[in-house]
Amino acid sequence: MDGGPTLERIAQGNGLALCAAGSWTARFAPDLEQLVGEAEKLTGSRPNIFIDVSQVSKLDTFGAWLIERLRRSLTQGGVEAKIAGLSANYSSLVDEVRRVKAAPEAEATSVTLTGLLDQVGRSVYGVGEALSGLISMLGAVLAAGARVIMHPTGFRLTSTVHHLEQVCWRAVPIVVLITFLIGCIISQQGIFHFRKFGADVFVVDMLGVLVLREIGVLLVAIMVAGRSGSAYTAELGSMKMREEIDALRTMGFDPIEVLILPRMLALVIALPILAFLGAVAALYGGGLVAWLYGGVDPEAFLLRLRDAISIDHFTVGMIKAPVMAAVIGIVACVEGLAVEGSAESLGQHTTSSVVKGIFLVIVMDGIFAIFFASIGM
């Protein structure tokens, strides 16, 4: 039977000897951790500390690492700690463990004006780099589109139709359902508050303008960014990980023309269609709630809606839709091509694609609102 590990302290003048004995192996891990933990508290107690391991009967990697950890702990604070009595059988093991670098301690950084300016500068540089990537992708897509117009035989109709089915046709149920519910909620809340002033019918004005100009298009764009934008990033990222994009370049094909242009075109076509269907569903839901909850007859609802809205409201929404689709597609494709060779990178860029896409859609909606207000639409 192997003897249990011990670590005896012996004072030697100004020095201190720690005599290790017994079996220093992983079998006695709890005892060894306790012995080493108590010995590490001796830091700074004596100027010279010797760790005598001549009586150690067995030593494995675990025990060697504990001895080295103890030596490093005692060496701190100006104290010199040495390992003595090491047999030839275990010297190579201890030397190998000694080559392992200690994990760097996290330095406590104080908040300074210089540090804050450095962080701001790095953030601004990162934003500029991201915008540069988006502009480069936009230019590449426009160039590929120009080449396809000049040589129509290079247009990939089958791929475009396939992506149009995925982005548009398969998204109709969820878009119609969500916009229908949003229309119901807007109508119910408007009637609830307008009723206090005896102005129930004005909910039709609010519903028509909000749905056609703002909420309808914006909501559909956010859903498309979360649904189709993430899918684009995941697809392109998977191709990048499997080096399929590099294979296309090797075969002489342009990945922008083969992979990205059909997706972009499908998205630009699909979003106005989905926005129109979403607006119709929201108006229908709002009219249904106005009839059942507010007592507004469907005929009166339609007459009021015709007087409240104009073709400009519909035009504004339809102009926004393809631009937002282009923004979503560009962000998704840039993030997909930025994926590296790991699943973690794919997940990070897919998340980043959705977040950036939704953020830029909201920013574009605000810019459009200011622009159309300035020209009187």
Side-chain angles (χ1 to χ4, degrees), residues 154-170:
F155 178 63
R156 302 180 181 275
L157 180 62
T158 304
S159 177
T160 304
V161 172
H162 167 72
H163 291 300
L164 189 59
E165 179 197 4
Q166 297 293 324
V167 174
C168 184
W169 176 249
R170 295 183 181 274

Side-chain angles (χ1 to χ4, degrees), residues 298-316:
E299 185 176 352
F301 180 88
L302 292 175
L303 290 174
R304 182 71 185 183
L305 183 64
R306 186 183 64 182
D307 296 335
I309 63 175
S310 65
I311 191 64
D312 287 345
H313 297 99
F314 178 75
T315 303
V316 167

Side-chain angles (χ1 to χ4, degrees), residues 23-368:
S23 179
W24 281 60
T25 59
R27 176 184 173 186
F28 301 98
D31 297 335
L32 289 173
E33 288 284 359
Q34 183 177 0
L35 291 173
V36 173
E38 294 176 355
E40 285 177 338
K41 300 176 183 178
L42 300 174
T43 303
S45 59
R46 299 295 178 93
N48 297 313
I49 299 179
F50 297 92
I51 304 174
D52 185 4
V53 295
S54 59
Q55 300 300 318
V56 174
S57 58
K58 286 189 177 182
L59 184 69
D60 62 4
T61 306
F62 180 79
W65 168 246
L66 286 181
I67 292 174
E68 175 61 19
R69 193 187 82 181
L70 178 59
R71 186 193 69 81
R72 294 181 183 182
S73 300
L74 298 178
T75 301
Q76 298 176 3
V79 178
E80 184 181 0
K82 297 181 180 179
I83 300 177
L86 191 63
S87 65
N89 295 331
Y90 300 132
S91 60
S92 60
L93 178 60
V94 175
D95 290 340
E96 189 68 27
V97 171
R98 185 173 297 174
R99 295 191 186 98
V100 178
K101 295 181 179 180
E105 298 182 358
E107 298 181 0
T109 57
S110 57
V111 179
T112 60
L113 180 60
T114 305
L116 290 175
L117 292 176
D118 178 70
Q119 293 179 5
V120 171
R122 292 179 184 276
S123 300
V124 172
Y125 177 78
V127 171
E129 201 171 34
L131 291 176
S132 175
L134 296 178
I135 294 173
S136 298
M137 177 59 69
L138 176 60
V141 171
L142 292 177
R147 289 195 299 271
V148 168
I149 293 174
M150 295 175 62
H151 304 89
T153 54
F155 178 63
R156 302 180 181 275
L157 180 62
T158 304
S159 177
T160 304
V161 172
H162 167 72
H163 291 300
L164 189 59
E165 179 197 4
Q166 297 293 324
V167 174
C168 184
W169 176 249
R170 295 183 181 274
V172 168
I174 186 63
V175 168
V176 169
L177 176 61
I178 296 298
T179 51
F180 173 81
L181 295 176
I182 292 297
C184 293
I185 294 170
I186 293 175
S187 180
Q188 187 273 332
Q189 287 294 305
I191 292 172
F192 177 77
H193 291 286
F194 287 157
R195 182 172 292 171
K196 300 176 183 179
F197 309 98
D200 297 18
V201 72
F202 283 102
V203 72
V204 182
D205 302 59
M206 180 185 71
L207 182 67
V209 174
L210 275 179
V211 168
L212 293 179
R213 291 184 67 99
E214 301 293 338
I215 299 298
V217 180
L218 181 61
L219 188 64
V220 171
I222 290 174
M223 285 190 288
V224 169
R227 182 183 180 275
S228 303
S230 61
Y232 283 3
T233 302
E235 291 170 1
L236 294 173
S238 299
M239 294 179 188
K240 183 78 178 297
M241 292 171 61
R242 294 194 296 263
E243 299 182 352
E244 295 177 12
I245 296 177
D246 294 334
L248 283 175
R249 292 193 179 97
T250 302
M251 292 186 292
F253 294 103
D254 182 12
I256 303 295
E257 186 175 331
V258 175
L259 300 176
I260 295 178
L261 186 60
R263 286 176 167 83
M264 290 287 299
L265 186 59
L267 203 58
V268 170
I269 295 173
L271 193 53
I273 298 174
L274 293 175
F276 174 75
L277 295 176
V280 172
L283 291 175
Y284 182 80
L288 188 62
V289 170
W291 179 33
L292 299 178
Y293 179 75
V296 180
D297 294 333
E299 185 176 352
F301 180 88
L302 292 175
L303 290 174
R304 182 71 185 183
L305 183 64
R306 186 183 64 182
D307 296 335
I309 63 175
S310 65
I311 191 64
D312 287 345
H313 297 99
F314 178 75
T315 303
V316 167
M318 290 300 102
I319 291 175
K320 289 181 181 180
V323 178
M324 291 182 176
V327 170
I328 294 169
I330 289 172
V331 170
C333 294
V334 168
E335 292 295 331
L337 295 179
V339 172
E340 299 175 354
S342 67
E344 181 183 4
S345 175
L346 179 62
Q348 290 176 349
H349 284 285
T350 303
T351 303
S352 178
S353 170
V354 175
V355 173
K356 290 180 179 178
I358 294 175
F359 171 76
L360 290 177
V361 160
I362 296 174
V363 170
M364 290 301 299
D365 186 71
I367 294 174
F368 273 121

